[in-house]
Amino acid sequence: MDLQKWKDKLEANDNIKAVTKNVAISVFKNILLYANKIDELDTKNYNKLLFILDPIKKEEIVDEEEEELNNFITKQQFDELIKIMNKKNIQSKKLYIFITKVLFYTGMRKSELRGLKVNKINLQEKTISIISQKLNSNVSKENVTLKSKNSKRNILIDDNLVSLISNYIIDNKLNGNDYLIPDVLSSYASFLSTCAKKIGVDKLTPHGLRHSHCSYLIQLYMDNNIIPDFGTIARRLGHNVENTMNVYYHMYPQQQQKLIDLLNK
């Protein structure tokens, strides 16, 4: 395989995050470093390969992350999105609307929803226990370790979501060890993106609904003249507080003046 062609193709793929690209590049680089350690390689070729395997520049990663943060919708847009989805005449419509509401109102990662079993939902206590995730339908292990130690958590859910999930479980005759949803997230992502464009949103992914949940919580605090409790929001998302503040607060810049007004009282 031509390594330069592989890297060029990797860098040109807009569907892969720059951070992920650098992880892939580092794998090859570590193999190269180890090979040179056990059996010294030709210096000229070795240096050439090292140059090819330079990571993507940090500035490119920052730009990509900033672009990713535009991947969210407001509560008003969410309501419009559900109306658009309801007009669709497809067999999976009810399932896709269910997934949209669960992601928007819980802030779960899509891998956490994919790996969520019915027995991890306590409708009496109104909680969802996140203890594992399922990265895709082809993983050798059914469930894998969560993204970080903060990811293991219980998510409190509101009465409307309790009712929605309860009816869904009954309608689909699900048992405790069943996954809550079938593995349809790839086709769902396409459906979500198509519907989002109908309301003027150029980019919206399942992960974007996680961003949307957090920004919605911040909006709820600010609309009620309460300073956002980023500790509570962070625990709900399975984040640390610093990440939550840095990543999400800018999504509602118009609310910053409200915060200053509260502090001035």
Side-chain angles (χ1 to χ4, degrees):
M1 179 181 66
D2 187 318
L3 195 60
Q4 184 65 63
K5 287 183 180 179
W6 170 80
K7 187 185 178 186
D8 290 344
K9 188 175 180 180
L10 181 68
E11 286 186 295
N13 191 332
D14 294 331
N15 294 319
I16 303 176
K17 292 183 180 180
V19 174
T20 306
K21 293 175 184 178
N22 274 345
V23 171
I25 291 169
S26 69
V27 170
F28 278 94
K29 190 168 185 176
N30 287 333
I31 292 172
L32 178 65
L33 292 172
Y34 182 74
N36 188 60
K37 182 179 179 180
I38 60 174
D39 187 9
E40 190 169 339
L41 305 177
D42 176 77
T43 303
K44 183 178 178 180
N45 289 330
Y46 176 70
N47 290 335
K48 183 180 178 181
L49 291 173
L50 278 180
F51 178 78
I52 292 172
L53 292 173
D54 271 348
I56 295 168
K57 294 179 181 178
K58 186 177 180 180
E59 301 86 86
E60 294 177 33
I61 297 175
V62 172
D63 288 342
E64 185 181 59
E65 288 173 346
E66 289 175 353
E67 181 182 349
E68 175 67 16
L69 293 178
N70 292 321
N71 177 21
F72 79 106
I73 54 175
T74 64
K75 177 58 165 62
Q76 182 179 357
Q77 289 173 316
F78 169 78
D79 291 338
E80 294 172 4
L81 180 68
I82 295 300
K83 289 178 182 178
I84 291 295
M85 289 181 170
N86 270 312
K87 292 178 182 178
K88 295 291 183 180
N89 185 25
I90 62 170
Q91 187 175 0
S92 300
K93 178 176 70 176
K94 286 183 67 175
L95 172 61
Y96 289 164
I97 291 174
F98 175 78
I99 292 172
T100 304
K101 289 181 177 181
V102 170
L103 290 176
F104 183 87
Y105 285 115
T106 66
M108 275 191 283
R109 297 176 176 92
K110 64 179 182 180
S111 57
E112 293 170 346
L113 177 57
R114 183 189 279 120
L116 180 63
K117 291 192 173 183
V118 173
N119 57 20
K120 296 301 180 287
I121 303 169
N122 189 322
L123 296 174
Q124 284 70 42
E125 295 185 6
K126 302 178 183 179
T127 60
I128 295 175
S129 296
I130 305 298
I131 62 170
S132 61
Q133 63 179 333
K134 191 176 181 185
L135 298 178
N136 57 63
S137 59
N138 297 317
V139 289
S140 55
K141 292 185 179 180
E142 198 171 69
N143 288 295
V144 297
T145 306
L146 290 167
K147 187 174 183 181
S148 70
K149 63 179 182 180
N150 294 320
S151 297
K152 186 177 181 179
R153 63 202 188 277
N154 287 330
I155 301 174
L156 285 171
I157 56 177
D158 64 86
D159 292 340
N160 289 330
L161 198 55
V162 168
S163 177
L164 179 73
I165 294 174
S166 176
N167 290 334
Y168 172 86
I169 291 172
I170 293 169
D171 291 345
N172 290 277
K173 298 179 174 61
L174 299 179
N175 297 313
N177 204 43
D178 292 331
Y179 287 108
L180 182 65
I181 64 166
D183 197 352
V184 296
L185 288 178
S186 294
S187 57
Y188 166 72
S190 177
F191 174 80
L192 176 65
S193 177
T194 299
C195 292
K197 287 180 171 61
K198 295 288 185 181
I199 62 168
V201 176
D202 290 334
K203 179 180 181 182
L204 184 63
T205 66
H207 193 75
L209 292 173
R210 175 174 163 82
H211 294 324
S212 304
H213 175 70
C214 183
S215 59
Y216 175 50
L217 295 181
I218 294 171
Q219 182 185 23
L220 286 176
Y221 275 110
M222 301 304 292
D223 284 351
N224 288 281
N225 293 325
I226 302 172
I227 296 175
D229 181 352
F230 284 101
T232 297
I233 295 173
R235 285 189 292 274
R236 185 173 177 84
L237 291 170
H239 268 174
N240 62 53
V241 177
E242 183 180 0
N243 279 354
T244 302
M245 293 182 70
N246 290 341
V247 171
Y248 293 107
Y249 185 64
H250 88 284
M251 291 179 171
Y252 279 91
Q254 71 274 20
Q255 301 290 357
Q256 294 188 40
Q257 187 55 51
K258 284 189 179 182
L259 178 58
I260 298 302
D261 292 341
L262 285 170
L263 292 172
N264 285 333
K265 285 185 177 180

